[in-house]
């Protein structure tokens, strides 16, 4: 009996050692890792600014943070430069929560042909304007879809990979049409990296009607 107890205790101690070492390693990593603040200057570090030209006629600037989530930022840049996000709708937009996009099928089940990405969770909070990667049940299932948070959602911290922040025109994000999917969804007309210096697409500008005169109003209806 004593021998069995000692053997069990030794086994438990031996089994716990790797986990204890791992916990110490994770703690050390968490304590030493440096998270640089978000740079809100749209004229600096253009390689790490994602521009979204939306169908509501607005351009949104997002600061990408490779020091927070390098692999996720690299994936966003790769897909953006491939034109993957051009024409994609915001398919899941929940008032008071977030706007999600990045699925070319518009169903919420699609993605790119690239392999899924391993999680890069960290302690930076999901505050208003946070841009984070959507995923399925597996932590390592992020691919192309991402969402922008309307209001702080701290329950997402260390569960979804936060890789950026809106730094210009959050009002345009607030104006994205709600719905799952919306009846008249807002679309990303063009996504680009600021360093590539792509102009705003002409068709994103709001349509301005020609000046209407009294004679136009009184003119007979054309059959």
């Amino acid at each position: 009996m004593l021998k069995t107890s000692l053997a069990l205790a030794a086994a438990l101690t031996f089994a716990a050692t790797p986990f204890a070492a791992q916990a110490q390693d994770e703690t050390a990593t968490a304590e030493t890792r440096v998270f640089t603040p978000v740079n809100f200057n749209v004229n600096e570090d253009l390689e790490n600014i994602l521009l979204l030209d939306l169908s509501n006629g607005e351009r949104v600037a997002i600061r990408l943070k490779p020091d927070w989530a390098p692999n996720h930022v690299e994936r966003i840049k790769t897909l953006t430069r491939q034109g993957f996000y051009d024409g994609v709708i915001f398919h899941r937009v929940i008032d008071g929560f977030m706007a999600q996009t990045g699925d070319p099928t518009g169903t919420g089940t699609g993605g790119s042909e690239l392999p899924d990405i391993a999680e890069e969770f960290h302690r930076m909070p999901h505050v208003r304007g946070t841009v984070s990667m959507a995923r399925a049940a597996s932590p390592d299932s992020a691919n192309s879809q991402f969402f922008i948070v309307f209001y702080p959602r701290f329950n997402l911290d260390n569960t979804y990979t936060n890789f950026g922040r809106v730094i210009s025109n959050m009002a345009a994000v607030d104006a994205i049409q709600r719905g799952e999917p919306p009846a008249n969804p807002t679309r990303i007309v063009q996504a680009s990296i600021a360093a590539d210096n792509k102009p705003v697409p002409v068709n994103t500008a709001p349509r301005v009607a020609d000046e209407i005169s009294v004679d136009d109003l009184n003119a007979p209806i054309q059959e």
Side-chain angles (χ1 to χ4, degrees):
M1 180 67 180
L2 179 59
K3 184 177 179 180
T4 303
S5 299
L6 290 174
L8 178 59
L12 290 173
T13 302
F14 196 93
T17 300
F19 295 104
Q22 180 180 0
Q24 290 175 355
D25 289 343
E26 291 176 351
T27 301
T29 301
E31 290 174 350
T32 58
R33 185 174 176 186
V34 175
F35 294 88
T36 59
V38 176
N39 181 355
F40 283 84
N41 191 328
V42 297
N43 297 311
E44 295 179 355
D45 190 16
L46 301 186
E47 180 61 27
N48 286 307
I49 295 180
L50 171 66
L51 300 174
L52 301 180
D53 292 304
L54 306 182
S55 57
N56 60 15
E58 300 288 342
R59 168 170 274 193
V60 175
I62 295 167
R63 172 67 64 192
L64 303 176
K65 297 294 295 176
D67 59 314
W68 294 2
N71 295 329
H72 284 69
V73 167
E74 185 59 36
R75 171 59 55 87
I76 292 294
K77 287 183 179 181
T78 296
L79 292 178
T80 295
R81 284 176 163 142
Q82 289 177 356
F84 177 86
Y85 294 114
D86 297 353
V88 175
I89 68 169
F90 283 87
H91 64 272
R92 184 170 183 246
V93 186
I94 303 174
D95 198 28
F97 182 18
M98 59 89 203
Q100 185 170 330
T101 186
D103 173 11
T105 72
T107 64
T109 61
S112 75
E113 295 181 354
L114 298 177
D116 292 344
I117 320 170
E119 57 88 2
E120 292 179 303
F121 301 155
H122 53 78
R123 67 175 183 268
M124 294 304 290
H126 282 71
V127 297
R128 172 172 162 79
T130 288
V131 187
S132 194
M133 211 69 169
R135 62 174 176 80
S138 168
D140 301 327
S141 58
N143 186 281
S144 65
Q145 295 188 40
F146 62 89
F147 60 91
I148 306 174
V149 177
F150 294 129
Y151 294 100
R153 290 283 175 163
F154 302 131
N155 60 315
L156 302 179
D157 300 350
N158 286 303
T159 305
Y160 289 84
T161 299
N162 173 352
F163 66 87
R165 183 89 56 80
V166 173
I167 59 172
S168 177
N169 208 0
M170 185 63 192
V173 177
D174 291 332
I176 292 173
Q177 293 294 310
R178 270 57 169 171
E180 300 183 65
N184 184 28
T186 302
R187 188 178 301 273
I188 299 174
V189 177
Q190 175 182 272
S192 63
I193 301 303
D196 297 343
N197 200 29
K198 286 191 174 182
V200 177
V202 176
N203 61 343
T204 62
R207 183 177 181 274
V208 179
D210 295 333
E211 185 176 349
I212 298 175
S213 67
V214 174
D215 291 337
D216 291 327
L217 294 174
N218 294 329
I221 298 174
Q222 298 294 325
E223 294 293 339

